[in-house]
mmCIF file with all atom_site columns, all heavy atoms in Angstrom:
data_model
loop_
_atom_site.group_PDB
_atom_site.id
_atom_site.type_symbol
_atom_site.label_atom_id
_atom_site.label_alt_id
_atom_site.label_comp_id
_atom_site.label_asym_id
_atom_site.label_entity_id
_atom_site.label_seq_id
_atom_site.pdbx_PDB_ins_code
_atom_site.Cartn_x
_atom_site.Cartn_y
_atom_site.Cartn_z
_atom_site.occupancy
_atom_site.B_iso_or_equiv
_atom_site.pdbx_formal_charge
_atom_site.auth_seq_id
_atom_site.auth_comp_id
_atom_site.auth_asym_id
_atom_site.auth_atom_id
_atom_site.pdbx_PDB_model_num
ATOM 1   N N   . GLN A 1 204 ? -11.390 24.601 13.650 1.00 0.00 ? 222 GLN A N   1
ATOM 2   C CA  . GLN A 1 204 ? -11.713 23.635 14.708 1.00 0.00 ? 222 GLN A CA  1
ATOM 3   C C   . GLN A 1 204 ? -12.800 22.653 14.287 1.00 0.00 ? 222 GLN A C   1
ATOM 4   O O   . GLN A 1 204 ? -12.818 21.508 14.698 1.00 0.00 ? 222 GLN A O   1
ATOM 5   C CB  . GLN A 1 204 ? -12.121 24.366 15.995 1.00 0.00 ? 222 GLN A CB  1
ATOM 6   C CG  . GLN A 1 204 ? -10.941 24.928 16.782 1.00 0.00 ? 222 GLN A CG  1
ATOM 7   C CD  . GLN A 1 204 ? -9.805  23.901 16.951 1.00 0.00 ? 222 GLN A CD  1
ATOM 8   O OE1 . GLN A 1 204 ? -10.021 22.754 17.347 1.00 0.00 ? 222 GLN A OE1 1
ATOM 9   N NE2 . GLN A 1 204 ? -8.574  24.325 16.630 1.00 0.00 ? 222 GLN A NE2 1
ATOM 10  N N   . ARG A 1 205 ? -13.697 23.108 13.411 1.00 0.00 ? 223 ARG A N   1
ATOM 11  C CA  . ARG A 1 205 ? -14.772 22.214 12.947 1.00 0.00 ? 223 ARG A CA  1
ATOM 12  C C   . ARG A 1 205 ? -14.176 21.033 12.191 1.00 0.00 ? 223 ARG A C   1
ATOM 13  O O   . ARG A 1 205 ? -14.643 19.906 12.306 1.00 0.00 ? 223 ARG A O   1
ATOM 14  C CB  . ARG A 1 205 ? -15.721 22.966 12.009 1.00 0.00 ? 223 ARG A CB  1
ATOM 15  C CG  . ARG A 1 205 ? -16.445 24.111 12.674 1.00 0.00 ? 223 ARG A CG  1
ATOM 16  C CD  . ARG A 1 205 ? -17.034 25.028 11.625 1.00 0.00 ? 223 ARG A CD  1
ATOM 17  N NE  . ARG A 1 205 ? -16.017 25.534 10.707 1.00 0.00 ? 223 ARG A NE  1
ATOM 18  C CZ  . ARG A 1 205 ? -16.221 26.535 9.864  1.00 0.00 ? 223 ARG A CZ  1
ATOM 19  N NH1 . ARG A 1 205 ? -17.397 27.115 9.798  1.00 0.00 ? 223 ARG A NH1 1
ATOM 20  N NH2 . ARG A 1 205 ? -15.253 26.929 9.073  1.00 0.00 ? 223 ARG A NH2 1
ATOM 21  N N   . VAL A 1 206 ? -13.135 21.296 11.452 1.00 0.00 ? 224 VAL A N   1
ATOM 22  C CA  . VAL A 1 206 ? -12.502 20.219 10.696 1.00 0.00 ? 224 VAL A CA  1
ATOM 23  C C   . VAL A 1 206 ? -11.777 19.275 11.647 1.00 0.00 ? 224 VAL A C   1
ATOM 24  O O   . VAL A 1 206 ? -11.891 18.052 11.565 1.00 0.00 ? 224 VAL A O   1
ATOM 25  C CB  . VAL A 1 206 ? -11.502 20.781 9.667  1.00 0.00 ? 224 VAL A CB  1
ATOM 26  C CG1 . VAL A 1 206 ? -10.902 19.664 8.846  1.00 0.00 ? 224 VAL A CG1 1
ATOM 27  C CG2 . VAL A 1 206 ? -12.181 21.804 8.776  1.00 0.00 ? 224 VAL A CG2 1
ATOM 28  N N   . VAL A 1 207 ? -11.054 19.892 12.578 1.00 0.00 ? 225 VAL A N   1
ATOM 29  C CA  . VAL A 1 207 ? -10.234 19.113 13.507 1.00 0.00 ? 225 VAL A CA  1
ATOM 30  C C   . VAL A 1 207 ? -11.092 18.094 14.261 1.00 0.00 ? 225 VAL A C   1
ATOM 31  O O   . VAL A 1 207 ? -10.688 16.944 14.454 1.00 0.00 ? 225 VAL A O   1
ATOM 32  C CB  . VAL A 1 207 ? -9.509  20.059 14.490 1.00 0.00 ? 225 VAL A CB  1
ATOM 33  C CG1 . VAL A 1 207 ? -8.707  19.250 15.503 1.00 0.00 ? 225 VAL A CG1 1
ATOM 34  C CG2 . VAL A 1 207 ? -8.614  21.021 13.726 1.00 0.00 ? 225 VAL A CG2 1
ATOM 35  N N   . ALA A 1 208 ? -12.296 18.530 14.597 1.00 0.00 ? 226 ALA A N   1
ATOM 36  C CA  . ALA A 1 208 ? -13.168 17.658 15.367 1.00 0.00 ? 226 ALA A CA  1
ATOM 37  C C   . ALA A 1 208 ? -13.476 16.358 14.643 1.00 0.00 ? 226 ALA A C   1
ATOM 38  O O   . ALA A 1 208 ? -13.703 15.325 15.262 1.00 0.00 ? 226 ALA A O   1
ATOM 39  C CB  . ALA A 1 208 ? -14.466 18.404 15.696 1.00 0.00 ? 226 ALA A CB  1
ATOM 40  N N   . TYR A 1 209 ? -13.466 16.377 13.347 1.00 0.00 ? 227 TYR A N   1
ATOM 41  C CA  . TYR A 1 209 ? -13.803 15.199 12.561 1.00 0.00 ? 227 TYR A CA  1
ATOM 42  C C   . TYR A 1 209 ? -12.659 14.203 12.427 1.00 0.00 ? 227 TYR A C   1
ATOM 43  O O   . TYR A 1 209 ? -12.866 13.054 12.090 1.00 0.00 ? 227 TYR A O   1
ATOM 44  C CB  . TYR A 1 209 ? -14.215 15.617 11.146 1.00 0.00 ? 227 TYR A CB  1
ATOM 45  C CG  . TYR A 1 209 ? -15.635 16.086 11.033 1.00 0.00 ? 227 TYR A CG  1
ATOM 46  C CD1 . TYR A 1 209 ? -15.964 17.420 11.219 1.00 0.00 ? 227 TYR A CD1 1
ATOM 47  C CD2 . TYR A 1 209 ? -16.656 15.175 10.719 1.00 0.00 ? 227 TYR A CD2 1
ATOM 48  C CE1 . TYR A 1 209 ? -17.265 17.857 11.093 1.00 0.00 ? 227 TYR A CE1 1
ATOM 49  C CE2 . TYR A 1 209 ? -17.960 15.601 10.598 1.00 0.00 ? 227 TYR A CE2 1
ATOM 50  C CZ  . TYR A 1 209 ? -18.267 16.942 10.777 1.00 0.00 ? 227 TYR A CZ  1
ATOM 51  O OH  . TYR A 1 209 ? -19.540 17.365 10.655 1.00 0.00 ? 227 TYR A OH  1
ATOM 52  N N   . ALA A 1 210 ? -11.463 14.706 12.599 1.00 0.00 ? 228 ALA A N   1
ATOM 53  C CA  . ALA A 1 210 ? -10.313 13.891 12.210 1.00 0.00 ? 228 ALA A CA  1
ATOM 54  C C   . ALA A 1 210 ? -10.030 12.796 13.211 1.00 0.00 ? 228 ALA A C   1
ATOM 55  O O   . ALA A 1 210 ? -10.254 12.959 14.405 1.00 0.00 ? 228 ALA A O   1
ATOM 56  C CB  . ALA A 1 210 ? -9.091  14.768 12.064 1.00 0.00 ? 228 ALA A CB  1
ATOM 57  N N   . ARG A 1 211 ? -9.549  11.666 12.720 1.00 0.00 ? 229 ARG A N   1
ATOM 58  C CA  . ARG A 1 211 ? -9.167  10.593 13.611 1.00 0.00 ? 229 ARG A CA  1
ATOM 59  C C   . ARG A 1 211 ? -7.739  10.816 14.099 1.00 0.00 ? 229 ARG A C   1
ATOM 60  O O   . ARG A 1 211 ? -7.362  10.395 15.164 1.00 0.00 ? 229 ARG A O   1
ATOM 61  C CB  . ARG A 1 211 ? -9.265  9.244  12.884 1.00 0.00 ? 229 ARG A CB  1
ATOM 62  C CG  . ARG A 1 211 ? -10.264 8.313  13.517 1.00 0.00 ? 229 ARG A CG  1
ATOM 63  C CD  . ARG A 1 211 ? -10.574 7.152  12.592 1.00 0.00 ? 229 ARG A CD  1
ATOM 64  N NE  . ARG A 1 211 ? -11.324 7.612  11.425 1.00 0.00 ? 229 ARG A NE  1
ATOM 65  C CZ  . ARG A 1 211 ? -11.052 7.247  10.172 1.00 0.00 ? 229 ARG A CZ  1
ATOM 66  N NH1 . ARG A 1 211 ? -10.050 6.430  9.930  1.00 0.00 ? 229 ARG A NH1 1
ATOM 67  N NH2 . ARG A 1 211 ? -11.774 7.690  9.171  1.00 0.00 ? 229 ARG A NH2 1
ATOM 68  N N   . ARG A 1 212 ? -6.989  11.516 13.257 1.00 0.00 ? 230 ARG A N   1
ATOM 69  C CA  . ARG A 1 212 ? -5.599  11.751 13.644 1.00 0.00 ? 230 ARG A CA  1
ATOM 70  C C   . ARG A 1 212 ? -5.281  13.223 13.438 1.00 0.00 ? 230 ARG A C   1
ATOM 71  O O   . ARG A 1 212 ? -5.600  13.796 12.396 1.00 0.00 ? 230 ARG A O   1
ATOM 72  C CB  . ARG A 1 212 ? -4.678  10.886 12.776 1.00 0.00 ? 230 ARG A CB  1
ATOM 73  C CG  . ARG A 1 212 ? -3.222  11.053 13.114 1.00 0.00 ? 230 ARG A CG  1
ATOM 74  C CD  . ARG A 1 212 ? -2.397  10.045 12.353 1.00 0.00 ? 230 ARG A CD  1
ATOM 75  N NE  . ARG A 1 212 ? -0.986  10.346 12.474 1.00 0.00 ? 230 ARG A NE  1
ATOM 76  C CZ  . ARG A 1 212 ? -0.050  9.827  11.696 1.00 0.00 ? 230 ARG A CZ  1
ATOM 77  N NH1 . ARG A 1 212 ? -0.396  8.979  10.726 1.00 0.00 ? 230 ARG A NH1 1
ATOM 78  N NH2 . ARG A 1 212 ? 1.215   10.140 11.864 1.00 0.00 ? 230 ARG A NH2 1
ATOM 79  N N   . ILE A 1 213 ? -4.681  13.820 14.437 1.00 0.00 ? 231 ILE A N   1
ATOM 80  C CA  . ILE A 1 213 ? -4.346  15.231 14.354 1.00 0.00 ? 231 ILE A CA  1
ATOM 81  C C   . ILE A 1 213 ? -2.849  15.397 14.554 1.00 0.00 ? 231 ILE A C   1
ATOM 82  O O   . ILE A 1 213 ? -2.295  14.941 15.552 1.00 0.00 ? 231 ILE A O   1
ATOM 83  C CB  . ILE A 1 213 ? -5.098  16.038 15.431 1.00 0.00 ? 231 ILE A CB  1
ATOM 84  C CG1 . ILE A 1 213 ? -6.607  15.881 15.201 1.00 0.00 ? 231 ILE A CG1 1
ATOM 85  C CG2 . ILE A 1 213 ? -4.702  17.504 15.400 1.00 0.00 ? 231 ILE A CG2 1
ATOM 86  C CD1 . ILE A 1 213 ? -7.425  16.224 16.419 1.00 0.00 ? 231 ILE A CD1 1
ATOM 87  N N   . VAL A 1 214 ? -2.200  16.036 13.576 1.00 0.00 ? 232 VAL A N   1
ATOM 88  C CA  . VAL A 1 214 ? -0.772  16.298 13.709 1.00 0.00 ? 232 VAL A CA  1
ATOM 89  C C   . VAL A 1 214 ? -0.613  17.781 13.961 1.00 0.00 ? 232 VAL A C   1
ATOM 90  O O   . VAL A 1 214 ? -0.979  18.602 13.121 1.00 0.00 ? 232 VAL A O   1
ATOM 91  C CB  . VAL A 1 214 ? -0.013  15.874 12.442 1.00 0.00 ? 232 VAL A CB  1
ATOM 92  C CG1 . VAL A 1 214 ? 1.464   16.248 12.548 1.00 0.00 ? 232 VAL A CG1 1
ATOM 93  C CG2 . VAL A 1 214 ? -0.180  14.374 12.203 1.00 0.00 ? 232 VAL A CG2 1
ATOM 94  N N   . LYS A 1 215 ? -0.113  18.118 15.122 1.00 0.00 ? 233 LYS A N   1
ATOM 95  C CA  . LYS A 1 215 ? 0.047   19.535 15.440 1.00 0.00 ? 233 LYS A CA  1
ATOM 96  C C   . LYS A 1 215 ? 1.468   19.974 15.148 1.00 0.00 ? 233 LYS A C   1
ATOM 97  O O   . LYS A 1 215 ? 2.423   19.281 15.461 1.00 0.00 ? 233 LYS A O   1
ATOM 98  C CB  . LYS A 1 215 ? -0.281  19.792 16.919 1.00 0.00 ? 233 LYS A CB  1
ATOM 99  C CG  . LYS A 1 215 ? -1.762  19.709 17.201 1.00 0.00 ? 233 LYS A CG  1
ATOM 100 C CD  . LYS A 1 215 ? -2.099  20.296 18.557 1.00 0.00 ? 233 LYS A CD  1
ATOM 101 C CE  . LYS A 1 215 ? -3.620  20.268 18.744 1.00 0.00 ? 233 LYS A CE  1
ATOM 102 N NZ  . LYS A 1 215 ? -4.012  20.426 20.148 1.00 0.00 ? 233 LYS A NZ  1
ATOM 103 N N   . MET A 1 216 ? 1.584   21.146 14.526 1.00 0.00 ? 234 MET A N   1
ATOM 104 C CA  . MET A 1 216 ? 2.911   21.662 14.173 1.00 0.00 ? 234 MET A CA  1
ATOM 105 C C   . MET A 1 216 ? 3.096   23.041 14.766 1.00 0.00 ? 234 MET A C   1
ATOM 106 O O   . MET A 1 216 ? 2.138   23.758 15.020 1.00 0.00 ? 234 MET A O   1
ATOM 107 C CB  . MET A 1 216 ? 3.074   21.750 12.650 1.00 0.00 ? 234 MET A CB  1
ATOM 108 C CG  . MET A 1 216 ? 3.026   20.401 11.953 1.00 0.00 ? 234 MET A CG  1
ATOM 109 S SD  . MET A 1 216 ? 3.183   20.588 10.171 1.00 0.00 ? 234 MET A SD  1
ATOM 110 C CE  . MET A 1 216 ? 4.900   21.045 10.043 1.00 0.00 ? 234 MET A CE  1
ATOM 111 N N   . LEU A 1 217 ? 4.350   23.387 14.954 1.00 0.00 ? 235 LEU A N   1
ATOM 112 C CA  . LEU A 1 217 ? 4.682   24.734 15.418 1.00 0.00 ? 235 LEU A CA  1
ATOM 113 C C   . LEU A 1 217 ? 6.081   25.068 14.924 1.00 0.00 ? 235 LEU A C   1
ATOM 114 O O   . LEU A 1 217 ? 7.003   24.261 15.099 1.00 0.00 ? 235 LEU A O   1
ATOM 115 C CB  . LEU A 1 217 ? 4.623   24.792 16.947 1.00 0.00 ? 235 LEU A CB  1
ATOM 116 C CG  . LEU A 1 217 ? 4.765   26.189 17.556 1.00 0.00 ? 235 LEU A CG  1
ATOM 117 C CD1 . LEU A 1 217 ? 3.609   27.091 17.158 1.00 0.00 ? 235 LEU A CD1 1
ATOM 118 C CD2 . LEU A 1 217 ? 4.881   26.090 19.077 1.00 0.00 ? 235 LEU A CD2 1
ATOM 119 N N   . ASP A 1 218 ? 6.220   26.191 14.309 1.00 0.00 ? 236 ASP A N   1
ATOM 120 C CA  . ASP A 1 218 ? 7.514   26.625 13.780 1.00 0.00 ? 236 ASP A CA  1
ATOM 121 C C   . ASP A 1 218 ? 8.239   25.535 12.986 1.00 0.00 ? 236 ASP A C   1
ATOM 122 O O   . ASP A 1 218 ? 9.443   25.321 13.147 1.00 0.00 ? 236 ASP A O   1
ATOM 123 C CB  . ASP A 1 218 ? 8.430   27.082 14.936 1.00 0.00 ? 236 ASP A CB  1
ATOM 124 C CG  . ASP A 1 218 ? 7.830   28.294 15.629 1.00 0.00 ? 236 ASP A CG  1
ATOM 125 O OD1 . ASP A 1 218 ? 7.063   29.025 14.953 1.00 0.00 ? 236 ASP A OD1 1
ATOM 126 O OD2 . ASP A 1 218 ? 8.106   28.482 16.818 1.00 0.00 ? 236 ASP A OD2 1
#
Side-chain angles (χ1 to χ4, degrees):
Chain A
Q222 282 313 311
R223 297 164 303 193
V224 183
V225 177
Y227 279 89
R229 242 166 291 135
R230 181 173 170 195
I231 299 161
V232 176
K233 287 194 176 163
M234 296 179 72
L235 188 64
D236 297 334

